[in-house]
């Protein structure tokens, strides 16, 4: 999204501003609303045609970004069709999410100051897992969460948000866990953090079981904290991983959020067992039509955390099928559905370790361990120690381990690496192992240490990497690197996947 052309950014900005501020009367006039959307789409496609002549990116990458931009436009339009969002949420949707994050790319003056000092743009977001505690005990949890007192104190949590704003110009924060709604420090929780920082937008990954009517009403009043409800598929699969009755509770939470006017989405974990189920027409209808989710994120199963195993990862063939199927849904149904592995084309590959050309992020857990990514559980520094030494987030970002990953990202991009397999942890595990051996960051828990010492684990991931390169490489070469567009400049068709 950050690489849309200036024409596309302007079109999306103007279109969403008109839609968001149109008010109930205009938003309910379907012909007017649809005319606005058509004009914006036309401008975005025009920007795509111009980009093809000047873009530094592979032709297919510009196509993907245009498709996701149009999906975002239609998401805004759907949200306003029946005035389902609270007034506070509508204001935040434009002022923070659309204008500040997607169009302006954060606080420009702060970004420029960081760039002047370090020669690159700062990270665009920070992921914070303030507490490990969770009311569930999910099979294969990457955080190994459960009943525990491990947490960041409130002052540290607040300082992380404040510093990311003042040092990086960040306005977007992802909150994970554990269960974010189980976090309490000094009598305060994640809703208090969102209220203290009304100029920021917070995305909270939650199991949804703690969302009652009162909490839904508070979220609607705040407008700047969106829950992404975790699901594994239908009732049988969700309850099998998360516990009996969880699917019903999560569904009830979505109903409450919808009734209160809260912007919410879904967080899906594709595995070898459920990939086809969660991308079926029936389940997509359930999430986005019946329940009213406005966005979706897919986090393919990563072999880390509790009882990690390679056997749950989608096969290379499934993963490539998921790539095609997800773009089919985005293209045909204009649903904002992002896959952090298959959609590396939207972000120029991996964004971990505070990626050097902007848009990157770092992860801070409940004990203060700072990692390149929530799915890369190796930490060279602890934020509590950093603050005790009088240092700050910029010093964390500059750590040699993180810098080493950023150098790898830059080299991979310059070598025209396959952005369908962007992840150092899973897609280039041998490269990550070399960086781990060189810098010796600490595993964040016993599970991460066990994975690091497991030779079969390393060998299995290296074999997976080679298999997926052989499977996805031809698609990257033919669909993304070759021009292959029709004479009128339409977005190219998706290839058939066997």
């Amino acid at each position: 999204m950050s690489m849309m052309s200036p024409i596309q950014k302007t079109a999306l900005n103007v279109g969403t501003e008109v839609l968001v501020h149109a008010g109930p009367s205009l938003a309910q006039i379907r012909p007017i609303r649809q005319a606005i959307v058509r004009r914006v789409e036309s401008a975005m496609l025009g920007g795509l045609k111009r980009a093809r002549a000047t873009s530094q990116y592979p032709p297919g990458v510009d196509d993907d970004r245009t498709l996701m931009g149009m999906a975002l436009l239609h998401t805004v339009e759907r949200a306003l069709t029946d005035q389902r969002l609270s007034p506070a949420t509508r204001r935040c949707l434009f002022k923070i999410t659309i204008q500040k994050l997607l169009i302006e790319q954060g606080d420009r003056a702060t970004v420029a100051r960081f760039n002047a000092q370090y020669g690159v743009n700062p990270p665009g977001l920070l992921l914070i897992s303030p507490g490990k505690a969770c009311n569930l005990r999910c099979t294969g949890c990457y955080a190994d969460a459960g009943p525990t007192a491990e947490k960041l104190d409130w002052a540290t949590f607040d300082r992380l948000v404040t510093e990311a704003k003042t040092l990086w110009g960040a306005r977007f924060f992802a909150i994970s866990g554990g269960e974010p709604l189980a976090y309490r420090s000094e009598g305060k929780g994640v809703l208090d953090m969102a209220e203290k920082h009304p100029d920021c937008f917070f995305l909270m990954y939650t199991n949804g079981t703690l969302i009652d009517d009162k909490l839904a009403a508070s979220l609607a009043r705040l407008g700047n904290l969106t829950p992404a409800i975790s699901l594994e598929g239908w009732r049988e699969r969700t309850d099998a991983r998360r516990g009996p009755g969880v699917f019903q509770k999560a569904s009830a939470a979505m109903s409450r959020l919808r009734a209160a006017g809260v912007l919410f989405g879904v967080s899906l974990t594709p595995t070898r067992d459920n990939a086809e189920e969660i991308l079926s027409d029936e389940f997509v209808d359930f999430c986005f039509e019946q329940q009213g989710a406005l966005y979706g994120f897919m986090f393919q199963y990563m072999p880390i955390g509790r009882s990690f195993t390679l056997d749950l990862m989608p096969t290379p063939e499934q993963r490539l099928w998921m790539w095609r199927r997800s773009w089919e849904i985005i293209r045909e149904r204009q649903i904002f559905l992002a896959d952090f592995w298959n959609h590396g084309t939207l972000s120029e590959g991996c964004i971990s370790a505070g990626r050097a050309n902007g848009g990157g992020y770092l992860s801070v857990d409940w004990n203060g361990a700072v990692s390149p990514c929530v799915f890369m559980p190796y930490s060279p520094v602890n934020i509590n120690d950093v603050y005790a030494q009088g240092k700050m987030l910029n010093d964390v970002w500059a750590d040699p381990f993180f810098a080493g990953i950023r150098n790898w990202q830059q080299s991979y991009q310059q070598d025209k690496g396959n952005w369908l397999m962007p992840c150092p942890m899973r897609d280039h595990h041998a490269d990550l192992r070399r960086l781990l051996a060189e810098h010796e960051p600490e595993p964040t828990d016993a599970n991460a240490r066990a994975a690091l010492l497991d030779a079969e684990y390393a060998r299995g991931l290296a074999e997976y990497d080679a298999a997926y390169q052989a499977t996805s490489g031809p698609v990257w070469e033919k669909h993304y690197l070759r021009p292959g567009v029709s004479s009128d400049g339409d977005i190219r068709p998706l290839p058939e996947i066997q």
Side-chain angles (χ1 to χ4, degrees):
M1 291 299 299
S2 63
M3 293 298 116
M4 286 188 295
S5 71
I7 293 174
Q8 291 176 319
K9 288 182 181 180
T10 300
L12 182 60
N13 187 13
V14 172
T16 51
E17 183 170 15
V18 170
L19 287 170
V20 169
H21 294 287
S25 57
L26 182 56
Q28 290 174 2
I29 302 175
R30 185 176 181 182
I32 295 178
R33 192 176 63 245
Q34 291 182 333
I36 295 170
V37 170
R38 285 195 299 270
R39 290 290 298 272
V40 176
E41 282 186 328
S42 178
M44 294 182 74
L45 287 171
L48 173 63
K49 294 175 184 178
R50 293 175 177 84
R52 285 186 175 133
T54 60
S55 178
Q56 60 181 309
Y57 302 104
V61 171
D62 290 319
D63 284 16
D64 283 0
R65 288 171 174 156
T66 300
L67 282 169
M68 193 62 92
M70 291 193 293
L72 176 62
L73 174 68
H74 281 271
T75 295
V76 175
E77 192 264 343
R78 276 194 298 274
L80 299 174
T81 297
D82 54 6
Q83 293 295 297
R84 72 171 70 173
L85 298 181
S86 69
T89 301
R90 289 200 300 272
R91 287 193 299 271
C92 291
L93 176 65
F94 175 70
K95 288 297 183 183
I96 302 175
T97 310
I98 302 297
Q99 187 177 62
K100 182 62 71 175
L101 297 178
L102 295 180
I103 307 302
E104 297 180 5
Q105 303 297 301
D107 185 326
R108 292 179 179 177
T110 304
V111 169
R113 184 170 62 247
F114 185 98
N115 192 293
Q117 181 175 356
Y118 296 101
V120 295
N121 287 343
L125 65 100
L126 186 65
L127 185 147
I128 307 172
S129 299
K132 189 177 182 180
C134 185
N135 59 319
L136 302 182
R137 188 79 174 164
C138 302
T139 303
C141 173
Y142 75 87
D144 199 7
T148 176
E150 296 171 82
K151 65 183 177 182
L152 292 173
D153 61 67
W154 174 261
T156 302
F157 187 11
D158 180 47
R159 181 173 174 180
L160 284 166
V161 174
T162 301
E163 280 197 354
K165 286 198 302 183
T166 57
L167 297 177
W168 299 347
R171 290 296 183 273
F172 182 81
F173 296 85
I175 308 297
S176 190
E179 167 53 49
L181 292 173
Y183 170 81
R184 302 297 291 177
S185 175
E186 300 180 15
K188 299 175 183 178
V190 292
L191 272 71
D192 298 288
M193 190 61 66
E195 186 167 27
K196 184 172 183 182
H197 297 275
D199 57 342
C200 297
F201 201 85
F202 296 83
L203 168 66
M204 170 179 67
Y205 297 106
T206 172
N207 61 47
T209 62
L210 301 180
I211 296 176
D212 55 19
D213 289 335
K214 181 179 179 182
L215 193 141
S218 296
L219 290 169
R221 175 183 57 80
L222 288 170
N224 66 330
L225 174 57
T226 176
I229 308 296
S230 297
L231 295 172
E232 314 300 323
W234 295 111
R235 181 189 305 272
E236 181 180 356
R237 293 200 187 277
T238 298
D239 287 3
R241 185 184 186 200
R242 296 181 171 272
V246 171
F247 180 84
Q248 182 177 353
K249 292 176 181 178
S251 299
M254 288 190 280
S255 296
R256 293 188 181 99
L257 294 169
R258 183 177 65 251
V262 176
L263 170 67
F264 73 92
V266 290
S267 176
L268 310 173
T269 306
T271 70
R272 190 167 301 186
D273 298 330
N274 72 350
E276 290 78 12
E277 181 173 307
I278 63 176
L279 287 174
S280 67
D281 284 330
E282 294 78 11
F283 193 70
V284 170
D285 285 342
F286 169 76
C287 292
F288 297 98
E289 301 295 337
Q290 298 174 34
Q291 291 293 346
L294 286 171
Y295 62 85
F297 291 120
M298 290 193 291
F299 297 93
Q300 297 180 35
Y301 173 79
M302 288 287 284
I304 60 170
R306 183 182 300 142
S307 303
F308 61 85
T309 173
L310 304 185
D311 295 337
L312 279 177
M313 291 194 301
T315 67
E317 294 76 18
Q318 281 180 309
R319 183 169 166 185
L320 192 60
W321 175 85
M322 288 167 54
W323 166 82
R324 189 190 191 285
R325 173 60 179 155
S326 61
W327 279 114
E328 184 178 73
I329 292 169
I330 295 164
R331 178 190 297 247
E332 296 179 1
R333 302 187 60 171
Q334 290 85 43
I335 290 173
F336 188 93
L337 180 62
D339 181 330
F340 281 81
W341 288 266
N342 277 342
H343 295 166
T345 53
L346 298 174
S347 59
E348 300 178 60
C350 173
I351 64 172
S352 72
R355 205 254 312 271
N357 57 343
Y361 91 109
L362 289 169
S363 172
V364 185
D365 78 4
W366 41 84
N367 290 320
V370 188
S371 302
C373 169
V374 70
F375 297 113
M376 203 184 302
Y378 301 99
S379 172
V381 294
N382 188 290
I383 197 63
N384 295 310
D385 297 335
V386 169
Y387 286 162
Q389 295 164 8
K391 298 181 180 179
M392 54 187 177
L393 272 179
N394 284 356
D395 299 297
V396 173
W397 177 87
D399 180 87
F401 176 53
F402 298 143
I405 293 176
R406 293 194 294 269
N407 290 337
W408 176 89
Q409 293 165 341
Q410 186 174 15
S411 296
Y412 190 66
Q413 180 181 358
Q414 290 173 345
D415 292 341
K416 295 183 172 59
N418 178 358
W419 284 347
L420 298 184
M421 46 183 304
C423 177
M425 179 69 184
R426 186 174 68 168
D427 297 331
H428 306 277
H429 196 70
D431 292 343
L432 177 63
R433 288 266 173 167
R434 286 192 286 272
L435 287 167
L436 292 174
E438 178 183 354
H439 298 284
E440 298 185 336
E442 283 293 314
T444 58
D445 60 18
N447 298 310
R449 187 177 301 278
L452 188 62
L453 299 175
D454 188 339
E456 288 300 317
Y457 175 89
R459 183 162 35 251
L461 277 174
E463 291 173 354
Y464 180 92
D465 297 349
Y468 193 59
Q469 174 60 43
T471 303
S472 66
V475 173
W476 174 249
E477 291 285 338
K478 295 177 182 178
H479 184 70
Y480 284 98
L481 297 186
R482 296 182 186 176
V485 297
S486 60
S487 58
D488 60 0
D490 289 339
I491 293 174
R492 69 196 64 207
L494 290 167
E496 293 299 325
I497 302 296
Q498 300 299 322

